[in-house]
Amino acid sequence: MEDSILVPAEVAEMTRLPLGTLRYMRHCGTGPRSFKLGRRVLYRQGDVEAWIASQYQADQPTPAA
């Protein structure tokens, strides 16, 4: 299965985050994995989906023992 390559505007739309927030998260290293191709910042769709899933998992309450 081949991952689509996304530009920041597509990731912002996909995550419903403002583009500035996505840029700031990239700067802090807290957002989805990205890479540069020349001057362009790009994302693999699979990395964005994995980041969304990890955010969902981190927000789930832990069961009481």
Side-chain angles (χ1 to χ4, degrees):
M1 185 168 128
E2 190 175 320
D3 272 343
S4 295
I5 302 298
L6 305 172
V7 296
E10 292 171 317
V11 176
E13 184 178 328
M14 185 177 177
T15 59
R16 298 185 188 251
L17 291 170
L19 192 53
T21 300
L22 188 62
R23 279 191 205 114
Y24 182 72
M25 292 172 86
R26 181 175 188 276
H27 171 76
C28 293
T30 59
R33 179 192 272 178
S34 61
F35 64 98
K36 287 186 105 175
L37 186 59
R39 291 180 168 189
R40 296 188 74 183
V41 174
L42 300 171
Y43 297 83
R44 289 186 184 268
Q45 185 171 350
D47 290 337
V48 175
E49 290 171 353
W51 179 78
I52 291 170
S54 72
Q55 296 302 299
Y56 176 79
Q57 276 301 107
D59 195 42
Q60 297 305 304
T62 55

